[in-house]
Amino acid sequence: FAYCHVGQCRCYTGYYPTADGKSCGAAVTDNGCVCLSQWKSALGSKKWFGAEDYSGCTWFGQDMGSWCKVDTRHSSYQTCSHKLPMKGLFIQSRSSKDSCRFQEQRQLVEPLYKPPAPEGE
């Protein structure tokens, strides 16, 4: 989930460096779910009608913090879904969003290929 140009590799929008810094992956939420890399929401939207596009873990400001829509098809959903908050007044269901640690988009990661050093160096 990275692209390289002129010797620099960056994560695609909505993906973040893995712990080893060698590749990119989806953000993990505070409850252990995985964020969708691209999603829509009307909450936090500046549009009068419809939803706005978001990427990964998004910062919504001091009042709302950072959160994302959870990937319900990812294998982590089976173990994290019971930790998600409930929503709904009369008919309750698990929320499809979770809080997460905001990170900048398009971060640098190690190049996929490093040419060998010239002999004698």
Side-chain angles (χ1 to χ4, degrees):
F1 300 105
Y3 64 94
C4 300
H5 180 71
V6 193
Q8 286 192 330
C9 298
R10 294 183 179 275
C11 296
Y12 282 112
T13 302
Y15 294 96
Y16 306 92
T18 55
D20 62 8
K22 294 183 179 184
S23 62
C24 303
V28 177
T29 70
D30 294 341
N31 287 309
C33 294
V34 169
C35 294
L36 288 169
S37 60
Q38 306 293 316
W39 50 279
K40 292 182 181 286
S41 177
L43 184 62
S45 176
K46 296 175 185 75
K47 295 179 180 180
W48 286 98
F49 297 101
E52 200 161 331
D53 294 325
Y54 297 101
S55 300
C57 183
T58 302
W59 175 252
F60 287 95
Q62 193 66 32
D63 294 337
M64 294 175 61
S66 57
W67 55 272
C68 67
K69 279 214 173 169
V70 170
D71 187 347
T72 58
R73 295 174 298 187
H74 191 273
S75 59
S76 64
Y77 189 72
Q78 299 303 316
T79 57
C80 72
S81 61
H82 72 280
K83 300 176 190 173
L84 297 176
M86 298 298 282
K87 67 176 186 175
L89 186 57
F90 297 107
I91 300 174
Q92 290 198 334
S93 64
R94 294 282 173 200
S95 175
S96 61
K97 70 176 191 172
D98 196 11
S99 57
C100 50
R101 186 177 64 84
F102 175 75
Q103 301 177 58
E104 293 297 325
Q105 299 285 345
R106 299 186 190 103
Q107 291 187 52
L108 286 170
V109 290
E110 289 185 21
L112 303 175
Y113 171 76
K114 290 182 184 177
E119 288 187 31
E121 286 188 21

